[in-house]
């Protein structure tokens, strides 16, 4: 099983600041990595797929990068609505498997 | 636009079988470019993938749950379902259904559309 590790567990920032979230895989996942945002009481929302592609309707302040085992989600300038938990997710074809990271909480400093 | 809605009992007794259905509206479940998946989230914890099903019936299950999971699809009702047997308190969670494109579809491998989730509690 491919294990995803996210850091930091919590990121305390102010609106307008830049957020940099990390996701590391226990083995290469190529670019098969996605990022989600989840707010309390809501389902996760897809932000980024294939490591660096923004999903439909996602603002340009969200960007993803990386390949292999190390990935980054960057929020260039935090808006009040961006304070949430962020999860990374990988998929592998064989064996067919999907795993999520434990999440990074971005909260208001 | 496409919407997913979970339904099923909110309370299941230990050792019994949890059964949930996801109804797809605003589009067809019978598309070759999508898997239909289940993901759960225990209270205050992270996300766990349970499995996927294609409308033609092929399935992929989380190895850790495989012995207890069965998924099925009913194209006539535009629904897919989850059964999880021999449940314990550890299966208490919010259960989400979601769409997962693959191949040439947009956002392959990611869950791009989610239902709102349904809370299932395992308790006697």
């Amino acid at each position: 099983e491919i294990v995803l590790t996210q850091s930091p567990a919590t990121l305390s920032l102010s609106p307008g600041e830049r957020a940099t979230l990390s996701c590391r895989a226990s083995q290469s996942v190529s670019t098969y990595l996605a990022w989600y945002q989840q707010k309390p009481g809501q389902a996760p929302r897809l932000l980024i797929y294939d490591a660096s592609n923004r999903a439909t309707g996602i603002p340009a302040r969200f960007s993803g990068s990386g390949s292999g085992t190390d990935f980054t989600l960057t929020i260039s300038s935090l808006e009040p609505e961006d304070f949430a938990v962020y999860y990374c997710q990988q998929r592998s074809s064989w064996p067919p498997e999907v795993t999520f990271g434990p999440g990074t909480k971005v909260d208001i400093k | 636009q496409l919407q997913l809605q979970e339904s099923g009992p909110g309370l299941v007794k230990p050792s019994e079988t949890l059964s949930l259905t996801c109804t797809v509206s605003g589009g067809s479940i019978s598309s070759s470019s999508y898997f239909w998946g289940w993901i759960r989230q225990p209270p205050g914890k992270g996300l766990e993938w349970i499995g996927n099903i294609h409308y033609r019936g092929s399935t992929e299950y989380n190895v850790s749950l495989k012995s207890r999971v069965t998924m099925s699809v009913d194209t006539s009702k535009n629904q897919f379902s989850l059964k999880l047997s021999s449940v314990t308190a550890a299966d208490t969670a919010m259960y989400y259904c979601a769409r997962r494109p693959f191949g040439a579809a947009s956002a392959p491998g990611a869950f791009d559309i989610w239902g709102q989730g349904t809370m299932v509690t395992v308790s006697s």
Side-chain angles (χ1 to χ4, degrees):
Chain A
E1 176 186 336
I2 297 175
V3 176
L4 298 178
T5 304
Q6 291 187 244
S7 61
T10 303
L11 193 55
S12 296
L13 295 168
S14 301
E17 289 192 296
R18 182 184 188 88
T20 303
L21 288 67
S22 175
C23 178
R24 178 164 290 180
S26 60
Q27 63 190 80
S28 178
V29 298
S30 184
T31 56
Y32 300 141
L33 191 103
W35 290 93
Y36 300 84
Q37 176 193 68
Q38 187 178 33
K39 297 178 182 179
Q42 296 184 16
R45 177 175 72 143
L46 176 65
L47 300 175
I48 301 287
Y49 65 93
D50 283 352
S52 61
N53 296 289
R54 271 190 302 277
T56 303
I58 301 304
R61 64 181 182 272
F62 292 93
S63 63
S65 64
S67 65
T69 60
D70 290 302
F71 300 87
T72 300
L73 174 70
T74 302
I75 310 171
S76 59
S77 178
L78 283 164
E79 296 288 340
E81 62 267 28
D82 298 337
F83 292 93
V85 179
Y86 293 83
Y87 294 96
C88 56
Q89 171 245 316
Q90 69 83 26
R91 85 195 193 263
S92 56
S93 297
W94 193 258
E97 175 189 75
V98 170
T99 53
F100 290 90
T104 289
K105 183 178 182 180
V106 179
D107 64 15
I108 299 176
K109 188 174 182 179
Chain B
Q1 73 277 20
L2 193 84
Q3 292 184 315
L4 284 69
Q5 178 69 59
E6 305 87 350
S7 59
L11 182 64
V12 182
K13 290 183 168 56
S15 79
E16 295 190 346
T17 296
L18 177 160
S19 296
L20 296 175
T21 296
C22 182
T23 300
V24 179
S25 59
S28 174
I29 200 172
S30 301
S31 170
S32 60
S33 297
Y34 302 104
F35 287 116
W36 304 92
W38 291 96
I39 301 102
R40 69 180 182 179
Q41 185 172 36
K45 296 188 177 181
L47 300 164
E48 180 181 33
W49 173 68
I50 301 171
N52 301 325
I53 188 166
H54 190 264
Y55 86 96
R56 293 192 179 117
S58 61
T59 55
E60 300 172 344
Y61 297 146
N62 186 323
V63 170
S64 67
L65 298 169
K66 189 174 185 176
S67 63
R68 299 195 291 130
V69 172
T70 303
M71 293 183 183
S72 59
V73 63
D74 186 336
T75 55
S76 67
K77 295 182 179 179
N78 229 28
Q79 295 175 333
F80 61 104
S81 298
L82 167 70
K83 291 187 186 299
L84 181 66
S85 64
S86 304
V87 297
T88 69
D91 296 308
T92 293
M94 182 72 77
Y95 285 76
Y96 296 100
C97 60
R99 187 181 79 168
R100 185 183 145 200
F102 71 95
S106 178
F111 295 96
D112 65 342
I113 300 176
W114 294 64
Q116 65 186 28
T118 189
M119 184 66 200
V120 178
T121 300
V122 178
S123 175
S124 56

